Structure formats: structure tokens, C-alpha cells
Amino acid sequence: MAEKKRHHTVPECYLDGFSEGDYSNAFFKQQYKVVKHINIANLCVESRFYEVNEKYLVKGKEKLDIEDKFFSMGIEPIFKHSISLIEKVIDDMLSRELELAKVNLTLNVRRAIAYLILIQYYRTPRFRALFDNKSAKVKQPYTNKKGELVESIDVPVLLHAFHSFTNKELMKELSYELAKGYWILRYSPNGNLFTSDNPVIVYNNISEERNLFTIAKMGDPHSIVFFPINHFILLEIFSIEGFPEKAEFNNYIFSVDKSYEDLINGYTFLNGEKTIISYTGDFGILFPQITLEII
């Protein structure tokens, strides 16, 4: 099979929830430009982003394929299935014409979903940038495929992977913390929830008093995790320690109005690095008094 050169940092199976067919609408923050009806295959893509240099591959072992074997074949099918389960819960609520419903998300189900959310949180260029111009000693020197002795790693690709989504201890600890929090699902009948190239939002609630949006660190007890499931559904996760008042809403689904949708879309815009994605293409709610270039 030919090697993929274009790597998605946000999977297409997720972007499907913000598209019609294969097409969606995108606002590019750096160019301040809206592109209508853009193929999702061209969104959140980086050239060879997860490719590992041959220098760091162990002699006698098969190639470390992060893009295909870890993400495309391993994680993304499970991610797609988990999203579909949440969508079915919402569909059931709508079929019964309920504005409020309770769902049974067991701890094991929560841990699986939390694990997938964490992988998406860590796999992006924003987190990769933390490892630029860094190096780390390997626990045990090894001989690479070229017969060279490798004692340290100085490539962001591997440092990124080893310190985040392939770090089993970190993922286990954080997924457990997320899973035991208070989970609230929001349904927007308007269907205009945005997403971005950083779709997992970790918002610092302390800054709310100052009316500021501050990106927080995953695991901070004073933060809220927002994750748009698709353009209709939002998942919110509150820590038990930081938000005891949310206990009564744990495992509930609420319908929300346009003002709440606009608030979350504002967070999505601020959290996005380069690209904001919208099913409807109605970015005017963010810039009601500014004319954007639309192509």
C-alpha cells in the first residue's frame, strides 16, 4: 500500500458530523477568509505529520506507523463507533419529544470515550509544538535500522507521541479522571455547533469572573472540557472537585437555545488554531459587524 503523505490531525470520521456528504464550510483565521463547500479531506491536514524518520526505527523491527496502524486502523474506527452511540442516545430523546432526558453512561463506557477524547486533544499541532527544539534520552540505547547507536531522540514526532497519546500511564490516569466527572450532553435544535482544528476545548472557569477565555491544562480541577460531538450535540465534562453543583445534572441531556450555542461557538473560535468548521457556514454570528471574504 502506498504511504500516505497527507495526515489528518482531526479525523475525517469526526469531521463527517459537521459536513453534508464530503463537504463543509471553513473559516481560516490567519487569512480571515471563509471557504464554502470545502471537501473535509482538505481540512486539518498536515504533510507527513506523524511520519517517523528512519534514523529512529529499531533494527530488525517493522516500521513504526503512527498514521495508519495507530490512528487510521486502530483509534479512528472506535472513535467513529463511540460518536454513533452518543448520536443514537440523542435520536431516542428526540423520538420521544423530550427536552430533558437521562442516559446511562457506565464508567467503562465513559473511560472508553474519555480515552478517545484525550487522544484527539493530544494529537494536534498545538501539542506537538511543545516538543520543537527539544530532546530526550532513551531509557536504553538501541541500534537503528542503519546500524547506528541511538542514545537520544530529538524529533518532535516521537517526543510528541511518547509524551502523550502513546503514553499508557498518562492516558489511563487522565481518562479515569475524566470518566468519573459529571457528564452533561447538550442538544442544539439549531444544528449550528462549530468545531475546529483543536476540537477538544479545556476552558479555565476561574477566568469567567474576568470575562476572559483562558485555555487550561487537561486535568485542572477548575476547568471544563467541551467537545462538540457533531453540529447538533455537545459533551461537557466537569470535575467532581471543582463543580459539586453539577452532580444533579450528571448523565442528563438538555436542549439548548441559540444563545448557548453562540457562547460555545465563541469558545470554539478562540480555541481553534487555524481553522473553524461549520455545517451551516453561518460564521456571521461571530462577526456580526464585519464583512468577511467569502469564496
Side-chain angles (χ1 to χ4, degrees):
M1 185 174 67
E3 183 181 14
K4 290 182 182 178
K5 298 180 181 179
R6 302 172 76 248
H7 296 172
H8 271 86
T9 57
V10 178
E12 287 184 73
C13 66
Y14 169 72
L15 296 177
D16 279 340
F18 301 86
S19 69
E20 186 170 0
D22 293 329
Y23 295 89
S24 190
N25 306 284
F27 171 62
F28 295 97
K29 292 178 74 172
Q30 294 177 347
Q31 295 86 4
Y32 214 75
K33 177 173 66 177
V34 171
V35 178
K36 297 276 191 175
H37 203 60
I38 185 171
N39 197 308
I40 58 174
N42 297 320
L43 294 174
C44 307
V45 171
E46 299 281 340
S47 177
R48 301 181 183 275
F49 187 71
Y50 303 111
E51 185 176 271
V52 180
N53 190 303
E54 290 284 338
K55 176 182 177 181
Y56 297 96
L57 301 180
V58 180
K59 189 176 182 179
K61 293 190 177 181
E62 65 176 309
K63 183 177 180 180
L64 179 61
D65 194 336
I66 297 174
E67 164 63 17
D68 279 333
K69 293 188 177 177
F70 185 82
F71 285 123
S72 297
M73 297 168 60
I75 297 301
E76 289 168 15
I78 305 170
F79 193 53
K80 183 177 181 179
H81 177 67
S82 297
I83 287 175
S84 70
L85 290 177
I86 294 175
E87 290 172 336
K88 286 178 182 177
V89 168
I90 296 290
D91 288 342
D92 179 61
M93 182 190 83
L94 295 176
S95 69
R96 291 183 287 148
E97 297 183 349
L98 300 174
E99 291 190 7
L100 171 65
K102 190 166 187 179
V103 295
N104 181 28
L105 293 175
T106 66
L107 183 60
N108 285 338
V109 169
R110 284 174 173 231
R111 290 191 72 173
I113 295 172
Y115 176 78
L116 296 166
I117 290 173
L118 285 167
I119 285 181
Q120 181 53 65
Y121 172 75
Y122 283 121
R123 70 181 287 186
T124 59
R126 172 181 286 168
F127 198 79
R128 165 74 59 80
L130 299 177
F131 300 96
D132 288 343
N133 304 314
K134 301 272 176 67
S135 65
K137 291 279 187 183
V138 296
K139 291 183 179 179
Q140 180 141 8
Y142 66 90
T143 303
N144 67 13
K145 287 184 178 290
K146 295 182 179 180
E148 302 167 331
L149 184 67
V150 176
E151 298 183 282
S152 64
I153 293 173
D154 62 359
V155 291
V157 174
L158 288 177
L159 293 175
H160 177 203
F162 295 161
H163 287 83
S164 58
F165 52 81
T166 66
N167 184 322
K168 292 182 180 179
E169 291 183 7
L170 173 71
M171 299 298 289
K172 182 179 179 180
E173 177 186 348
L174 287 179
S175 63
Y176 180 75
E177 287 301 315
L178 276 183
K180 73 178 187 180
Y182 299 130
W183 287 39
I184 299 174
L185 287 165
R186 310 279 190 180
Y187 171 74
S188 173
N190 207 34
N192 192 32
L193 289 169
F194 297 172
T195 192
S196 77
D197 49 5
N198 285 302
V200 181
I201 304 167
V202 187
Y203 163 66
N204 189 336
N205 192 58
I206 293 176
S207 66
E208 195 171 26
E209 297 174 4
R210 301 185 307 233
N211 197 27
L212 297 172
F213 174 86
T214 305
I215 296 172
K217 182 180 178 182
M218 183 66 76
D220 185 335
H222 298 288
S223 65
I224 309 166
V225 175
F226 295 105
F227 182 61
I229 301 294
N230 59 32
H231 66 104
F232 283 107
I233 307 167
L234 173 74
L235 171 63
E236 300 176 352
I237 304 176
F238 300 83
S239 70
I240 293 174
E241 297 84 0
F243 301 91
E245 73 279 6
K246 297 295 182 181
E248 63 180 304
F249 305 116
N250 188 38
N251 272 340
Y252 274 95
I253 307 171
F254 296 86
S255 288
V256 296
D257 59 16
K258 185 178 181 301
S259 63
Y260 195 86
E261 181 186 78
D262 290 351
L263 173 69
I264 299 301
N265 284 340
Y267 292 169
T268 297
F269 171 77
L270 292 167
N271 196 61
E273 199 79 19
K274 297 178 182 178
T275 312
I276 313 302
I277 300 155
S278 165
Y279 174 83
T280 65
D282 182 15
F283 295 103
I285 62 170
L286 296 176
F287 311 98
Q289 297 176 333
I290 299 175
T291 301
L292 299 173
E293 179 187 357
I294 300 176
I295 63 173

